[in-house]
Amino acid sequence: MKTNKKFNALNSTLLVILSLTFIGWAQAQSTDMDNPTAITSNVIDGEGDGKAETFYYSFTANKGDVKVTVDAKTDYYSTPLRVTLMDVDGNELVPIYVVAKDTSQRQVATKHFVRDTKVIVRVAMEKDQHVKLLTYKIKLDGAVTVETPPAAAVEVAPAPTADPAVTASPAAAPTATPAEAMPAAASDPAAPKTSTKEKVKAKAKKEVKKVVDGILDN
């Protein structure tokens, strides 16, 4: 029973640590230029409902040409959509202005980069009480590098607990020894490693070791 309790506590703790480790990858659309959403695909899809909003995304432009295609459409009325590529200092690199209508409108621009550059994508929508729905898609082609999302964490099944109603009897099957009752390993050593930054992995390993040592000492 004591072994099972330790294993269950370890499972719960590991799941909490994994959730905290990868929470940054599931962030919503950022409204902070200094903390933009790192895109994990070369396509940004978004919506607006007539409110004045500005969102920020980021990617890495490599040496070469980057083509930006912006498509925008409203439910009925027309409204402007401004998409701007900037450097980390806020300097404008590529401005794109689209007047979205009830039929999809497209604007295309190309920017040449002479070196690898972190690029901020600013998407700005104006207040328009007549617009109920604005949809837009920003596609980046060419010399573009995006973030790789981490693999989803797999929940570990809790260890089976003994049934207090069952009592031993001469006819009963032999009771498993503590070594036999131990559950299978929580993770498969042969499983592929998740693709995360080295600092995040190191921090997660350190926290897991501290928690495991604390549980096993009790």
Side-chain angles (χ1 to χ4, degrees):
M1 289 294 292
K2 185 175 181 181
T3 301
N4 289 339
K5 288 181 178 179
K6 285 185 177 181
F7 187 76
N8 291 337
L10 177 60
N11 285 345
S12 300
T13 305
L14 289 175
L15 289 176
V16 171
I17 292 174
L18 287 173
S19 298
L20 293 175
T21 302
F22 297 118
I23 192 170
W25 294 89
Q27 59 182 320
Q29 297 179 105
S30 173
T31 57
D32 182 3
M33 179 180 170
D34 294 326
N35 186 32
T37 300
I39 62 175
T40 58
S41 167
N42 71 321
V43 175
I44 301 172
D45 286 303
E47 295 182 343
D49 58 0
K51 295 180 181 178
E53 295 180 300
T54 301
F55 300 120
Y56 296 91
Y57 303 87
S58 68
F59 70 94
T60 299
N62 305 121
K63 182 178 180 180
D65 292 335
V66 174
K67 178 182 177 183
V68 187
T69 304
V70 180
D71 292 290
K73 181 180 179 180
T74 65
D75 52 347
Y76 183 74
Y77 296 96
S78 64
T79 193
L81 173 70
R82 290 178 171 83
V83 177
T84 307
L85 269 58
M86 307 180 296
D87 63 19
V88 292
D89 295 322
N91 298 313
E92 187 177 279
L93 303 175
V94 180
I96 302 176
Y97 181 82
V98 182
V99 178
K101 300 179 181 179
D102 57 351
T103 57
S104 183
Q105 302 296 307
R106 170 176 290 187
Q107 291 292 334
V108 180
T110 300
K111 169 68 177 177
H112 180 77
F113 291 87
V114 298
R115 62 181 62 86
D116 291 357
T117 306
K118 181 176 180 179
V119 177
I120 308 298
V121 182
R122 183 179 64 197
V123 181
M125 292 168 280
E126 296 182 1
K127 181 178 180 180
D128 192 330
Q129 62 181 353
H130 299 294
V131 174
K132 304 303 179 184
L133 178 62
L134 163 66
T135 59
Y136 62 86
K137 180 172 73 173
I138 304 168
K139 186 179 180 184
L140 305 168
D141 292 306
V144 173
T145 297
V146 298
E147 295 285 348
T148 302
V154 179
E155 184 174 355
V156 182
T161 57
D163 187 351
V166 178
T167 58
S169 66
T175 304
T177 64
E180 294 170 339
M182 285 295 290
S187 60
D188 184 1
K193 296 180 180 179
T194 56
S195 175
T196 59
K197 296 182 179 179
E198 291 301 325
K199 290 184 179 180
V200 177
K201 292 196 297 183
K203 182 178 179 181
K205 289 180 180 178
K206 182 177 179 181
E207 293 299 325
V208 170
K209 185 176 185 303
K210 289 170 59 179
V211 173
V212 172
D213 291 342
I215 293 174
L216 296 179
D217 288 341
N218 292 332

